[in-house]
Amino acid sequence: RMIGESAKDVWLSTFHSFCARFLRREIEATELYQKNFVIYDSGDSQTVIKNCIKELNLDEKQYAPAAIQNRISNAKNLLQGPRAFEKEAGDFFEQKVADVYRLYAKKLRENNALDFDDLLMISVILLEEHEDIREKYQNRFRYILVDEYQDTNGAQYRLTKRLAEQHHNLCVVGD
């Protein structure tokens, strides 16, 4: 109320909720997803990964779903899609994780679903590959504040960097 009507233009959120809001407006530029996408939580994602492991005839004891989920999450936070991950897979285990990742990504697309890591990765990709979208949001967010900056990962850093690169009005707070 003290700020007035312009307060409606402020986006105050976590990285993930920011990206979900952003993607509800812009995801169709990917030509892979619709705006009515669903977001899978960790349990949903693990269920899909378990199904992928079964479909690929892998042993769950040797290829623990939680370990594979963690490896895929790390790849996404490094902005590696299935192909990029596969190119860097160094050993047999990593090759099998790449197979699961590829099938997992396919199943998510078929269900118009994103996991939490996709929210960040796809947002960064859209900002980096679509100049019109990048400029629109750079102009929209002239001032950016990131709290708990010490907890940011690579994808969050790239998102912040892309949004702030036009006006350079970025303030970060951390321990």
Side-chain angles (χ1 to χ4, degrees):
R1 272 184 268 145
M2 289 173 49
I3 295 172
E5 194 65 25
S6 62
K8 290 181 180 177
D9 295 331
V10 174
W11 286 23
L12 180 64
S13 60
T14 64
F15 278 105
H16 290 93
S17 63
F18 172 88
C19 290
R21 186 173 178 183
F22 168 76
L23 290 173
R24 293 276 180 223
R25 297 168 185 222
E26 305 296 342
I27 198 163
E28 290 180 351
T30 66
E31 300 179 0
L32 298 172
Y33 298 95
Q34 300 299 310
K35 289 181 181 185
N36 65 341
F37 62 86
V38 295
I39 301 171
Y40 283 0
D41 65 16
S42 184
D44 298 326
S45 295
Q46 196 164 102
T47 298
V48 176
I49 288 170
K50 283 180 183 181
N51 291 337
C52 293
I53 290 169
K54 285 178 188 168
E55 195 171 319
L56 294 168
N57 295 316
L58 299 174
D59 180 8
E60 257 191 60
K61 291 176 183 160
Q62 216 173 359
Y63 300 95
I68 291 179
Q69 183 178 23
N70 186 53
R71 194 64 193 92
I72 291 170
S73 177
N74 290 340
K76 288 182 178 187
N77 286 325
L78 293 170
L79 304 175
Q80 288 182 320
R83 284 190 200 124
F85 181 82
E86 187 173 24
K87 284 180 185 175
E88 292 189 16
D91 58 22
F92 186 76
F93 179 80
E94 291 286 308
Q95 288 292 333
K96 293 302 173 190
V97 172
D99 293 342
V100 174
Y101 186 6
R102 188 178 338 96
L103 183 57
Y104 173 69
K106 180 181 179 233
K107 288 183 180 290
L108 289 180
R109 280 192 311 276
E110 288 171 351
N111 291 304
N112 197 37
L114 306 177
D115 63 21
F116 288 129
D117 298 312
D118 286 328
L119 294 172
L120 294 165
M121 185 172 76
I122 294 170
S123 293
V124 171
I125 290 168
L126 276 172
L127 290 170
E128 291 185 346
E129 293 181 358
H130 295 269
E131 184 178 356
D132 57 328
I133 293 172
R134 181 176 59 251
E135 287 178 359
K136 176 175 151 183
Y137 286 90
Q138 286 173 343
N139 289 325
R140 171 92 172 73
F141 301 112
R142 294 179 55 92
Y143 300 94
I144 299 169
L145 169 68
V146 179
D147 194 13
E148 301 294 335
Y149 190 72
Q150 76 279 358
D151 296 330
T152 57
N153 63 32
Q156 293 165 339
Y157 167 77
R158 295 249 306 257
L159 176 75
T160 304
K161 180 181 176 187
R162 285 290 176 219
L163 288 171
E165 70 187 350
Q166 183 174 350
H167 299 288
H168 304 287
N169 294 320
L170 174 64
C171 178
V172 299
V173 180
D175 297 341

